Amino acid sequence: MAATSTSMDAERGILAGLLRRPPAVAGLVVLVVIVALAIFASQVMPYPPGQLSIRSRLQGPSLLHLFGTDEFGRDVLSRTIHAGRISLAVGGTVVVVSALIGVTLGLFAGYFRRLDPPLSRLIDAMMAFPDILLAIALVAALGPSAVNVVLALGIVYAPRVARVVRASTLVIRELAYVEAARALGVPTPVILVRHVLRNLASPVMVQGSFIFANAILAEAGLSFLGVGVSPDIPTWGTMIAMGRQFMDQAGWIMWFPGVAIILSVMSLQLLGDALRDLLDPRLSRTT
Amino acid sequence: MTPAAAPSASSQPDVLPEGILLRVDGLKTHFGTGNRTAKAVDGVTFSLPRGRTVAVVGESGSGKSVTSLSIMGLIAPPGRIAGGRILHRDREGRVRDLARLTNADFRHIRGPEIAMIFQEPMTSLNPLMTVGEQIGEMIALHERISRGDLRRRVVELLKKVEIPAAESRADDYPHQMSGGMRQRAMIAMALACTPQLLIADEPTTALDVTIQAQILELMRRLQADMGMSMLFITHNLGVVAEIAHEVVVMYAGRVVEQAPAETLFGRPSHPYTRALLASTPDPDRDIAADGSRRPLAAIPGFVPSITNLPPGCAFAPRCPLAAQACRESPPELTTVAPGHVARCIRMEAA
């Protein structure tokens, strides 16, 4: 009884709980700033991100160009902000895709005993591959494009969601109210959606924040390796890839998108850690 | 050995005497296989007349809950129904064997025909949905209904189970309610499908004594008002006296005695039933006028393991009347009086 009511209270007080943890506050602030910059990119960018200016190419950071300019004289600050839009969008959709696949797999594996062995082996097999390698293979098979990168990363991260969903479903399936629902004739699909799925929200949310962070990193990695989104779409990854050639003369071209990646990934990780502590009933405290 | 029993049982036609809603006939529910088979229910037979309350009494592990789960088709592997029939008459008067029903067919049974409530009112409700939502879900499963009507029906049901301020309580989450209230809400959920038969598996065990009495009174009244039948699973003989018309006493997976409630309490035949009654506290009997107390009689020994039952009567090792014949072969159910059966060969010895 205590467990159910504390988890209810925890859900209600997520924000309050986060605000009581300094690392989470730091993560939240940085993330809000990054997301706000991405949303209001067109208002805050000092220059159009694609505006060429051969005369002012490869200039270091100055008051005119806070983050300097790249080899075509484009403003690195504007491009970093603009690239954030795409990087975040890719990360966000990867979370959605992996959650859709992972929740479905995990739910079926956890609820239906017969499906568990084959689905669990599939999940284990996928998790045995190094993330980036599997992603490269998938992109290679699907063909490089932004949509396929999202799809590939979604597939790569789906097993992580599937695992926690399966574990939680195994527990929920045996709860008295699920058995009570069965005894009152509630059909299985309704039980799955209304009684099991609802209770999976917290573990999926926690995994989602980590996957978001990993996806941003992985997208940058794929783009850097040249198997990600097309190089003329600015993402933090493609910016670093392009800037690499000028590393020793104009390092700022890759520093700033690099810093953006570090900040966003770190803030998401901090937030995810805090969320996990808050939502895990075993760790929940009566604060 | 058990599969042999199944074909012979199924060869009999599925007929039920008029007035009988459910007949469990030689039901065997086993867990596992080989010589590690746990015979949780081993040849249980009893009838449930329409509009009556039958209580199944027994200690933990006597198979009473497994019997009810078998009726509901909720036995999951490694458990299985190894033999016997569960004949049930539905609303249309069709008699079917629930032991042989597919999962898809059970959907029409669970809810509108047979509903079940459980022991734990604390955990039998989904903590993430309001009580009203959960009751409404039951109604919406079986009929198309507008939001407004649904709400009205939910409040009506909550009033029927005597939840005060039903209108506002419908929006409460389970954790905002007390144990007794939650059990009332569970009953409302079960009644939402207007079942012909309500199976209650120790519905009052987790509640305070005063609340127990209220819930029992409520269930008895609802049973009478709605004319439904009730199968009441309990280990509490006080509860049985309160609510049951008929009593089935189970021991180690078998029925040892069945009788109308008055008969069972007045003239118990099986030594186990007598021992159970003697071990129930009774202030009138146990405390003398001068204040001296008589210690409560306990049944010596333990319930035998269902994976390793004695060859004869399962109660023989603990029975004060046990004779050599009791230890050799299991006794049959014999009729003591019309409507009263017991599984004992030494009844007269007492």
Side-chain angles (χ1 to χ4, degrees), chain A residues 39-199:
Chain A
I39 292 173
F40 301 108
S42 39
Q43 281 88 336
V44 290
M45 283 186 300
Y47 301 91
Q51 183 182 291
L52 307 177
S53 166
I54 298 302
R55 243 171 304 164
S56 53
R57 62 195 291 267
L58 297 177
Q59 283 181 0
S62 65
L63 280 178
L64 216 58
H65 297 283
L66 282 176
F67 286 6
T69 59
D70 68 3
E71 71 271 29
F72 300 115
R74 295 175 298 191
D75 182 50
V76 173
L77 172 60
S78 304
R79 283 177 68 75
T80 305
I81 295 172
H82 184 71
R85 275 190 139 166
I86 293 150
S87 289
L88 290 180
V90 167
T93 36
V94 166
V95 171
V96 173
V97 170
S98 61
L100 281 177
I101 303 174
V103 168
T104 314
L105 280 178
L107 199 60
F108 279 80
Y111 196 82
F112 301 105
R113 282 160 185 255
R114 291 212 179 147
L115 293 179
D116 189 21
L119 288 181
S120 287
R121 291 300 82 75
L122 177 74
I123 292 166
D124 289 346
M126 282 172 74
M127 286 190 85
F129 285 101
D131 291 352
I132 234 29
L133 212 60
L134 183 56
I136 291 173
L138 284 168
V139 172
L142 295 166
S145 78
V147 174
N148 287 343
V149 166
V150 168
L151 211 59
L153 289 177
I155 294 171
V156 168
Y157 292 122
R160 300 190 184 191
V161 181
R163 242 194 202 177
V164 291
V165 167
R166 172 181 170 272
S168 305
T169 306
L170 282 174
V171 174
I172 296 167
R173 185 183 66 183
E174 302 301 330
L175 290 181
Y177 64 81
V178 172
E179 171 140 57
R182 239 175 300 175
L184 292 175
V186 181
T188 308
V190 179
I191 291 183
L192 284 178
V193 174
R194 307 209 29 153
H195 297 292
V196 182
L197 213 51
R198 278 197 189 198
N199 287 280

Side-chain angles (χ1 to χ4, degrees), chain A residues 197-231:
Chain A
L197 213 51
R198 278 197 189 198
N199 287 280
L200 292 171
S202 356
V204 171
M205 228 158 81
V206 173
Q207 279 304 311
S209 63
F210 290 125
I211 288 173
F212 201 154
N214 278 309
I216 290 174
L217 209 53
E219 180 274 320
L222 287 179
S223 299
F224 183 80
L225 294 173
V227 289
V229 300
S230 134

Side-chain angles (χ1 to χ4, degrees), chain B residues 188-247:
Chain B
M189 267 173 86
L191 296 183
C193 330
T194 56
Q196 301 273 90
L197 168 61
L198 180 64
I199 301 182
D201 190 352
E202 310 215 16
T204 59
T205 307
L207 304 174
D208 289 350
V209 193
T210 47
I211 308 293
Q212 274 191 18
Q214 290 175 19
I215 297 282
L216 287 177
E217 179 53 35
L218 172 73
M219 293 186 77
R220 189 170 56 189
R221 220 186 26 259
L222 290 171
Q223 185 264 327
D225 289 352
M226 301 178 65
M228 59 180 182
S229 308
M230 207 147 68
L231 186 65
F232 211 93
I233 314 287
T234 183
H235 58 246
N236 186 337
L237 283 167
V239 168
V240 174
E242 198 75 33
I243 202 160
H245 300 116
E246 293 248 348
V247 187

Side-chain angles (χ1 to χ4, degrees), chain B residues 75 86 97 139 142 152 198-200 206 219 253 255 267 289 319 334:
Chain B
I75 295 293
I86 303 167
D97 183 1
I139 301 171
H142 301 292
R152 225 164 297 130
L198 180 64
I199 301 182
M219 293 186 77
V255 173
R267 277 176 283 115
C319 182
T334 48

